[in-house]
Amino acid sequence: MDVDALQKLIHLLQATDDPLIQEQALITLSNSAAFSVNQDIIRNLDGLSVIGGMLSNSVPKVKEKALNALNNLSMNIKNQEEIQVFITQVCKTVESAPLNSDVQLAGLRLLTNMSVTSDYHQKMINSIPCFLRLLSEGTERTQIQVLKVLVNLSANPAMTRHLLRAQVPSLVLLFDNCINRDILVRALAFAANLKKNMNNEEGTIIEKYSEDSIFFTLRRDSAPFTQRLASLLHHPDTEVKEQVVRILTQ
C-alpha cells in the first residue's frame, strides 16, 4: 500500500464518526502494518496517535481493531516509543472489558509485545492484580495470553517484589498434570523466573508479604507447591520437565 493510500485511511479515521467505516479503516491499516516498511510510514504520517485515539471509542469492535492495529505496529522499536504513551489506557481497557472478550484479548496481545523488553514494565505495575485475576478466572485462551505478559514481567528483577506481593491463593492449582500444556509451561516459567529473583530477597523481607501472596506459595518450605512439582517430574512433555528442574535447582 503506497503512502497516499495510507494517508487517506488515516485522514478517514479522523473525519468519520461511522463505526463501520472506522472498523474497516483500522482493519486495512492493521493488515498493512504486517509489512515493516508500512510500520515506518504510518508512524511518519502520525498514524499512531490517530489509531491510539480510537482506544477511547465506545464501540467495542472499533476499540478491538485499534488494539489489533497497534499490536501489529508495535513490532517496531521506534513505534513502541510512541505506543508506550497508551499503555496505561490499554491496561485500563483490559481491566474494564468483559471477561474473555475480544477487546480484552486484543489488549493483552498488545501488552505482550510491549513487555518483551523491560523498558515499559513500570507502566504495568498497577495492573498486576488484574492480570492475576484473569489468570484465576479466565478461559484457557485468556490464561495463556495473560501468562505471556506475566512471564515477560517476571523476567525483570525490578518487578519481582511487585509480583511476589500479589495475592493469588489459586496459583498453585495451575501446577498440575491435567492442566493444558501451554498454560502449564508458561506458569512454570513464571514461577522459575520469580524463584531465580527471589533468592536475592528471601530471608530479608518475609514480613512484607501476606500468607496469600505468591511469595508464600513459591517458598522452599511450601509443601503444596513442592509436592506438585515432584509429580510434574513425570510429565510426558520435555519442556515442562525442564522448567520443573529449573525451579527445583534454584
Side-chain angles (χ1 to χ4, degrees), residues 80-128:
Q80 284 201 359
E81 290 169 9
E82 291 195 23
I83 293 169
Q84 58 102 5
V85 302
F86 300 112
I87 288 177
T88 305
Q89 191 176 355
V90 174
C91 286
K92 285 179 179 165
T93 298
V94 168
E95 286 187 48
S96 62
L99 184 63
N100 307 316
S101 62
D102 289 339
V103 170
Q104 191 171 68
L105 286 159
L108 288 170
R109 280 194 292 270
L110 176 55
L111 293 176
T112 301
N113 276 354
M114 294 301 291
S115 61
V116 168
T117 70
S118 58
D119 295 353
Y120 311 118
H121 285 183
Q122 295 293 324
K123 290 176 176 280
M124 301 182 199
I125 288 173
N126 290 341
S127 292
I128 288 172

Side-chain angles (χ1 to χ4, degrees), residues 120-165:
Y120 311 118
H121 285 183
Q122 295 293 324
K123 290 176 176 280
M124 301 182 199
I125 288 173
N126 290 341
S127 292
I128 288 172
C130 164
F131 298 152
L132 292 162
R133 179 178 59 79
L134 297 183
L135 185 58
S136 296
E137 298 174 9
T139 58
E140 289 188 348
R141 203 163 64 128
T142 301
Q143 286 179 308
I144 290 168
Q145 202 59 56
V146 80
L147 274 166
K148 289 180 181 180
V149 179
L150 288 168
V151 169
N152 287 347
L153 296 179
S154 66
N156 178 3
M159 299 298 286
T160 305
R161 200 169 291 199
H162 301 288
L163 289 163
L164 290 177
R165 199 178 286 147

